[in-house]
Amino acid sequence: MRLQALAAALLVAACASAPASSEAQTAPVPSMGEILEQSPASDWRAVDPENTIYMDLPTGRVIIELAPEYASNHAANIRALARAHYWDGAAIVRSQDNYVVQWGRDEGDTTAYGEAQRSLQPEFDRPRSGVEITRLQDPDSYAREVGFASGFPVAGQNGRTWLAHCYGMVGAGRGDTADSGSGAELYVVIGQAPRHLDRNVTLVGRVLQGIELLSVMPRGTGPLGFYETPEERTIIRSVRLASELPESERVNLQTLRTDSATFRTLTESRRTRRDPWFLEPTGRINVCNVPLPVRVAP
């Protein structure tokens, strides 16, 4: 079945007036896997090695894609820190239930920053002009516009746009002042989307692979989930830019283009959820509930 036929089946299913628990639906409902299987190669994009961070833990590798369109200075600083091997031997310092996992070094640590800066002006948002957004028509509690740009969940209003705090998004920790972050201290969202943090922290990218290695970290026993003893921490073996490694040591990942026909079909399938298990489909979806597929290149 071609992608157009899948989209047509979704439309028929969404318009069906009978509840899913009564008569059989008039058209088969494609699964997410079927939609992706039928996607053309042009609906996927290769992840740029210069914007890809590999964080190696004792349990495996976490792969992060940076978002320079939204946080160009922070992305450049994170690249510089990775080249300086700043995070080698650093640690996971915090795991707060239903919130975030955070990593970095202790305050006062003298590890060299290399060519990176120790503080940056915030990049909480950017001008809306020049950004192509695949917009969701569903209402949102935090912004007038939500959708996706270059593979990331975004929101916006009043001529500005910003990255949204969805599961798997990575942010730069800061202190009480807006310019107190540099990207040397990072966190990832592991719980229900804390959208109240939008435009209060600079988001720098998202985890493409290995989020399960972070989300299962033992919860910290101290305030805000910080670990209270060195023994509780997980040591980071290394953090490298993918572009620093030989091609034979890279993971050749692709992400589904969020401006593609496949992504629009996928979004509609998740909004209607007319597959047999769902007795009461909602007919709407939240920006943080739309999947952003990643695959190893065929």
Side-chain angles (χ1 to χ4, degrees), residues 89-110:
I92 308 295
V93 298
R94 175 188 179 197
S95 177
Q96 186 172 2
D97 189 50
N98 197 33
Y99 205 50
V100 301
V101 162
Q102 186 170 317
W103 60 94
R105 293 186 177 275
D106 292 330
E107 187 174 352
D109 185 278
T110 58

Side-chain angles (χ1 to χ4, degrees), residues 64-264:
I64 298 168
E65 182 181 24
L66 300 175
E69 288 186 19
Y70 277 82
S72 59
N73 293 330
H74 282 75
N77 225 41
I78 289 168
R79 293 190 202 100
L81 288 165
R83 290 191 179 103
H85 301 176
Y86 173 80
W87 287 288
D88 294 11
I92 308 295
V93 298
R94 175 188 179 197
S95 177
Q96 186 172 2
D97 189 50
N98 197 33
Y99 205 50
V100 301
V101 162
Q102 186 170 317
W103 60 94
R105 293 186 177 275
D106 292 330
E107 187 174 352
D109 185 278
T110 58
T111 300
Y113 268 52
E115 297 181 0
Q117 300 180 57
R118 291 188 174 271
S119 65
L120 295 172
Q121 290 298 311
E123 295 177 285
F124 296 158
D125 61 7
R126 58 152 292 166
R128 171 69 171 81
S129 177
V131 181
E132 295 293 330
I133 295 179
T134 301
R135 185 171 180 175
L136 282 182
Q137 299 304 313
D138 307 82
D140 184 76
S141 299
Y142 294 90
R144 296 189 187 127
E145 178 184 43
V146 290
F148 303 89
S150 302
F152 296 94
V154 301
Q157 62 188 30
N158 300 328
R160 308 292 293 181
T161 179
W162 56 89
L163 296 173
H165 270 82
C166 298
Y167 183 82
M169 292 295 287
V170 177
R174 67 170 178 85
D176 290 338
T177 60
D179 62 350
S180 57
S182 66
E185 185 177 26
L186 297 171
Y187 67 87
V188 62
V189 177
I190 61 161
Q192 187 172 353
R195 294 283 306 285
H196 59 282
L197 297 179
D198 289 3
R199 292 183 291 173
N200 285 284
V201 186
T202 298
L203 286 172
V204 299
R206 74 178 178 108
V207 173
L208 299 182
Q209 194 175 85
I211 185 65
E212 69 281 359
L213 303 178
L214 297 170
S215 62
V216 299
M217 287 287 170
R219 300 311 187 234
T221 55
L224 302 178
F226 279 94
Y227 294 125
E228 298 182 280
T229 65
E231 292 74 24
E232 293 177 276
R233 296 181 171 187
T234 297
I235 300 301
I236 298 171
R237 288 180 172 172
S238 68
V239 173
R240 297 287 185 274
L241 276 172
S243 58
E244 290 186 280
L245 301 179
E247 288 191 19
S248 60
E249 297 180 22
R250 301 178 193 173
V251 182
N252 190 12
L253 293 181
Q254 296 179 333
T255 65
L256 185 65
R257 284 177 40 210
T258 50
D259 60 350
S260 67
T262 300
F263 183 74
R264 289 190 291 271

Side-chain angles (χ1 to χ4, degrees), residues 26-57:
T26 58
V29 180
S31 67
M32 177 174 164
E34 290 171 327
I35 293 171
L36 296 180
E37 285 174 6
Q38 299 299 321
S39 63
S42 59
D43 281 3
W44 296 82
R45 67 171 176 84
V47 179
D48 184 354
E50 189 66 10
N51 286 324
T52 306
I53 298 293
Y54 292 163
M55 180 167 68
D56 286 333
L57 304 175

